[in-house]
């Protein structure tokens, strides 16, 4: 790959533009192919790139505005290049090249405002990101007879948009508080195709996946919480963090979305909060400054 960046800064304005180009080469050898001679898959080479630009303007010594834009084209992961489609010379070897694979594309823009003083720091930003041709591997799924399988999904679009905020302030020299909030709306955009691979039967089934408008799963789209740190002594400190998670959907099963009439959203987890605590201690190990800590996750 090759990368370059140009930066500009004068008075209250700073800006940058950067770009990168890269080439990814793929190969595959099937050493378990005992009955056929085509051990080596066809070599594949795919180009990618990214472009980014941004600017920051300081209104005064405390306030600033910023904006960033980006466009990305990323080569797919190896598992999507060789999809195992049956061929005459090499049935079910996994060496067949997926002829319909495309680069994953994304365009993103964010804009925000920042405030900074001696004891208070605040940041607010909004983002809008659109994906095309995403290649996804589903979690491990289970057939009715108990056997398991995965689905390789290609051509999936998505739209992520939301608002994020951080507020940090120092109450005293020994106590500081950090708060955060994120409100997102992330949905799959458009429909996709999938190859469902059954590891037990060693079969591949191509299906159309009607996923347009489904919420993106596997992580909460709304979170907020806070972090408090207390310097008890010169060497001993204690902190706790609380995170509230909401709008948390599960991943959808591609094989259950092959009917355009099925539009039900995936399962939505109940909202929940998690509390973590930790304590740390500065010490000496020989002549070396050291730090030890104990961390308890999900205290309750």
């Amino acid at each position: 790959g090759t990368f370059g960046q140009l930066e500009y800064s004068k008075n209250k304005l700073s800006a940058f533009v950067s770009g990168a180009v890269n080439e990814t080469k793929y190969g595959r050898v099937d050493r378990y192919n005992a009955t056929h001679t085509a051990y080596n898959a066809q070599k594949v080479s795919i180009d990618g790139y990214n472009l980014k630009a941004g600017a920051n303007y300081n209104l005064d010594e405390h306030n600033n505005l910023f904006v960033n834009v980006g466009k990305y084209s990323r080569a797919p992961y190896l598992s999507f290049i060789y999809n195992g489609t049956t061929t005459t010379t090499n049935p079910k070897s996994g060496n067949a090249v997926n002829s319909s694979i495309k680069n994953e594309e994304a365009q993103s823009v964010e804009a925000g405002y920042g405030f900074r003083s001696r004891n208070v720091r605040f940041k607010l930003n909004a983002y809008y990101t659109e994906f095309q041709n995403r290649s996804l591997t589903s979690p491990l799924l289970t057939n009715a007879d108990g056997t398991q399988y995965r689905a390789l999904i290609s051509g999936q679009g998505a739209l992520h948009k939301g608002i994020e905020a951080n507020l940090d302030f120092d109450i005293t020299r020994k106590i500081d508080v950090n708060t955060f909030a994120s409100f997102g709306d992330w949905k799959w955009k458009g429909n996709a195709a999938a190859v469902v691979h059954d590891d037990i039967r060693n079969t591949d089934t191509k299906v159309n996946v009607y996923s347009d408008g489904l919420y993106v799963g596997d992580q909460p789209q709304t979170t907020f919480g806070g972090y408090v740190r207390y310097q008890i002594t010169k060497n001993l400190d204690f902190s706790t963090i609380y995170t509230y998670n909401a709008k948390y959907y599960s991943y959808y099963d591609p094989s259950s979305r092959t009917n355009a009439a099925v539009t039900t959203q995936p399962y939505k987890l109940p909202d929940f909060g998690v509390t973590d605590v930790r304590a740390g201690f500065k010490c000496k190990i020989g002549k070396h400054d050291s730090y030890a800590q104990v961390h308890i996750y999900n205290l309750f």
Side-chain angles (χ1 to χ4, degrees):
T2 302
F3 169 81
Q5 180 163 304
L6 179 67
E7 299 180 11
Y8 170 85
S9 180
K10 186 176 181 179
N11 299 326
K12 294 183 177 182
L13 176 67
S14 61
F16 80 95
V17 60
S18 67
V21 293
N22 55 74
E23 180 184 22
T24 305
K25 295 184 177 181
Y26 305 83
R28 187 179 190 275
V29 179
D30 185 356
R31 303 187 188 281
Y32 292 90
N33 186 353
T35 58
H36 299 88
T37 58
Y39 293 99
N40 298 304
Q42 174 187 338
K43 295 292 197 302
V44 176
S45 178
I46 299 178
D47 297 324
Y49 68 89
N50 69 68
L51 297 170
K52 294 190 241 182
N56 179 82
Y57 184 77
N58 294 322
L59 301 172
D60 52 39
E61 62 179 337
H62 298 299
N63 300 275
N64 71 290
L65 300 173
F66 62 90
V67 62
N68 295 296
V69 296
K71 182 175 176 60
Y72 311 90
S73 178
R74 188 181 72 177
Y77 292 117
L78 177 69
S79 59
F80 296 95
I81 302 299
Y82 303 102
N83 61 353
T85 302
T86 298
T87 64
T88 303
T89 58
N90 208 17
K92 293 187 169 57
S93 72
N95 275 352
V97 175
N98 184 352
S99 59
S100 62
I101 197 68
K102 297 179 180 179
N103 276 20
E104 297 186 14
E105 308 280 347
Q107 297 82 233
S108 183
V109 59
E110 70 161 350
Y113 162 79
F115 173 83
R116 179 179 292 270
S117 67
R118 182 177 179 180
N119 296 321
V120 178
R121 297 160 299 280
F122 174 73
K123 180 182 177 182
L124 174 70
N125 73 285
Y127 62 89
Y128 185 97
T129 304
E130 186 171 1
F131 300 90
Q132 296 92 32
N133 299 322
R134 289 198 65 184
S135 298
L136 309 164
T137 303
S138 75
L140 202 59
L141 305 168
T142 305
N143 289 309
D145 60 2
T147 59
Q148 294 181 313
Y149 65 98
R150 291 187 186 275
L152 299 180
I153 303 169
S154 59
Q156 178 67 74
L159 180 61
H160 292 201
K161 53 187 176 180
I163 298 174
E164 301 171 326
N166 292 83
L167 175 62
D168 307 332
F169 50 95
D170 303 327
I171 297 179
T172 68
R173 294 181 61 183
K174 290 187 174 183
I175 302 176
D176 57 270
V177 176
N178 305 315
T179 63
F180 56 88
S182 177
F183 304 94
D185 185 72
W186 311 336
K187 290 182 178 179
W188 299 117
K189 184 177 181 180
N191 299 315
V195 175
V196 180
H197 181 76
D198 191 311
D199 289 333
I200 303 299
R201 300 180 180 88
N202 195 25
T203 57
D204 292 306
T205 305
K206 289 186 176 181
V207 296
N208 292 320
V209 179
Y210 296 95
S211 51
D212 185 38
L214 297 182
Y215 280 107
V216 175
D218 281 351
Q219 55 186 315
Q221 299 187 25
T222 296
T223 62
F224 57 86
Y227 171 90
V228 180
R229 180 179 178 275
Y230 177 42
Q231 191 71 41
I232 301 173
T233 68
K234 181 179 178 180
N235 295 330
L236 179 64
D237 69 280
F238 172 84
S239 63
T240 180
I241 182 171
Y242 175 80
T243 304
Y244 186 82
N245 302 282
K247 204 176 178 181
Y248 197 150
Y249 290 87
S250 66
Y251 191 87
Y252 71 89
D253 179 355
S255 65
S256 69
R257 297 290 173 170
T258 57
N259 184 347
V262 178
T263 58
T264 306
Q265 289 290 344
Y267 175 73
K268 182 176 177 290
L269 278 70
D271 300 349
F272 66 95
V274 176
T275 302
D276 302 336
V277 296
R278 55 161 294 284
F281 186 75
K282 294 180 181 178
C283 56
K284 287 276 190 180
I285 298 180
K287 298 180 179 181
H288 302 286
D289 291 331
S290 305
Y291 186 81
Q293 72 172 0
V294 57
H295 198 137
I296 300 175
Y297 296 96
N298 193 12
L299 178 65
F300 303 115

